[in-house]
Amino acid sequence: MAMKSRILIVGVTGNLGFELARASLDSSYPTFGLVRDSAFSDPNKSKKLEILSHGGATFLKGSLQDEARLVEAIKQVDVVICAVNSKQVLDQRLLIAAIKCAGCVKRFIPAEFGSDPDKTRISDLDNNFYSRKAEIRRLIEAEGIPHTYISCNFYMSYLLPALVQPGLKAPPRDKVTVFGDGSVKGVFVKESDVAAFTISAVDDPHTLNKVLYLRPPGNVYSINELVEIWESKIGKKLEKIYVSEEEFLMKIRGMSVLK
Ligand SMILES: NC(=O)c1ccc[n+]([C@@H]2O[C@H](COP(=O)([O-])OP(=O)(O)OC[C@H]3O[C@@H](n4cnc5c(N)ncnc54)[C@H](OP(=O)(O)O)[C@@H]3O)[C@@H](O)[C@H]2O)c1
């Protein structure tokens, strides 16, 4: 039987990274976490580390700013998965250099876990959110590093719990804002499922040097469909306030002017 890859996860104390480490351990992969010193003295993060440690994870101290420790950690594994948040996307440049230097990595999965940055068009209002992720893709490809990009669309814990109503924490019971005509579909995937799919791709030759799109048919809904489901649950029709694309873009532009 083929040996299971050894997996290094950067960001195991974070939201997705913790789920990735759990999924990796659940699938019996030798699992390593690159952990910053500061995490051990943070009560919430050390609780997560304790859970993973009981599950069999090994922690290697280091950070995305420390190349020597990165290379040392990477030399112990076959696969690297990075789960730093979107603000730190470009910090992966040193990780890529370290992967190249270590020369042993069979697959790198960078921090993406959203919409495909090569396909998403977002009216120049995203503060380079997608272009930074695309820049990391180009760097990985230029260095000839084997990779898989995970395109999972929305996490279920974002937007969906408040029925896609920015600023709300729970679904509304009187009025609901519908963007456009409400018919455009979104994909919502639970973080633990994103993690499980990611780990299942690690040793799968079909996903090598490809984008893996997560689009479970039962997880695809438009705002109109979501509102209808909510209305049937609470037994009440909501007042719909329609906001056109033009109005919505104007609002966002207004907000960035105010910042
Ligand atoms: N599709 C969606 O709806 C959606 C929503 C949110 C996020 N995402 C994506 O999910 C991925 C993970 O984001 P997240 O929200 O789960 O992140 P997060 O909770 O903020 O966790 C970030 C992790 O990265 C670690 N980290 C940060 N800087 C580091 C450094 N310099 N060196 C080493 N480790 C470092 C942190 O460690 P410490 O504990 O030491 O700080 C933490 O473990 C990203 O790709 C993001 O774009 C997608």
Side-chain angles (χ1 to χ4, degrees):
M1 207 175 81
M3 290 272 287
K4 289 203 127 185
S5 287
R6 292 161 298 173
I7 303 178
L8 174 69
I9 300 163
V10 181
V12 289
T13 50
N15 288 335
L16 182 68
F18 179 68
E19 296 295 343
L20 285 164
R22 282 222 288 214
S24 174
L25 291 166
D26 286 350
S27 300
S28 307
Y29 282 96
T31 304
F32 299 74
L34 186 92
V35 182
R36 296 198 278 190
D37 284 327
S38 53
F40 293 96
S41 49
D42 177 304
N44 290 333
K45 292 175 186 178
S46 57
K47 183 83 209 148
K48 286 184 171 179
L49 293 174
E50 200 183 308
I51 293 169
L52 297 177
S53 171
H54 280 146
T58 304
F59 302 126
L60 306 170
K61 285 190 181 179
S63 83
L64 289 183
Q65 282 72 30
D66 183 341
E67 190 170 10
R69 277 189 167 175
L70 277 178
V71 174
E72 205 180 299
I74 293 164
K75 280 190 173 160
Q76 301 183 47
V77 300
D78 311 293
V79 170
V80 177
I81 307 178
C82 190
V84 294
N85 72 38
S86 53
K87 292 191 190 109
Q88 285 138 348
V89 160
L90 291 182
D91 290 351
Q92 294 177 105
R93 288 183 288 209
L94 196 61
L95 178 63
I96 292 168
I99 289 172
K100 183 77 180 168
C101 171
C104 56
V105 170
K106 291 193 299 192
R107 191 176 313 219
F108 175 44
I109 301 182
E112 280 205 5
F113 307 106
S115 300
D116 186 330
D118 285 337
K119 296 197 170 149
T120 309
R121 296 286 166 264
I122 197 146
S123 307
D124 71 10
L125 289 172
D126 71 331
N127 296 316
N128 298 324
F129 184 91
Y130 290 106
S131 65
R132 285 198 300 261
K133 292 186 175 186
E135 183 181 330
I136 290 299
R137 282 190 176 188
R138 300 296 86 79
L139 198 54
I140 293 167
E141 290 151 14
E143 294 294 0
I145 294 171
H147 55 268
T148 300
Y149 305 136
I150 308 292
S151 202
C152 61
N153 299 289
F154 292 115
Y155 288 176
M156 227 171 231
S157 63
Y158 281 74
L159 297 175
L160 191 61
L163 213 59
V164 198
Q165 302 295 295
L168 292 193
K169 289 206 162 68
R173 288 180 172 264
D174 299 312
K175 299 173 186 173
V176 64
T177 304
V178 177
F179 299 101
D181 66 1
S183 66
V184 174
K185 306 240 182 199
V187 184
F188 303 89
V189 188
K190 208 172 161 186
E191 285 91 321
S192 54
D193 290 339
V194 173
F197 279 119
T198 303
I199 296 301
S200 71
V202 155
D203 281 336
D204 180 352
H206 298 102
T207 59
L208 189 59
N209 297 331
K210 302 240 169 65
V211 183
L212 177 63
Y213 293 99
L214 306 186
R215 236 180 251 148
N219 297 36
V220 184
Y221 285 95
S222 67
I223 295 194
N224 288 341
E225 288 164 338
L226 291 171
V227 169
E228 220 177 289
I229 294 170
W230 178 238
E231 286 176 335
S232 74
K233 274 197 186 299
I234 60 172
K236 180 182 172 188
K237 288 278 173 202
L238 301 179
E239 182 191 336
K240 320 279 180 316
I241 300 160
Y242 289 90
V243 175
S244 70
E245 184 176 338
E246 295 71 31
E247 280 175 272
F248 191 45
L249 288 175
M250 261 166 56
K251 270 192 187 171
I252 298 174
R253 285 205 172 92
M255 283 161 87
S256 29
V257 167
L258 284 176
K259 267 189 194 166

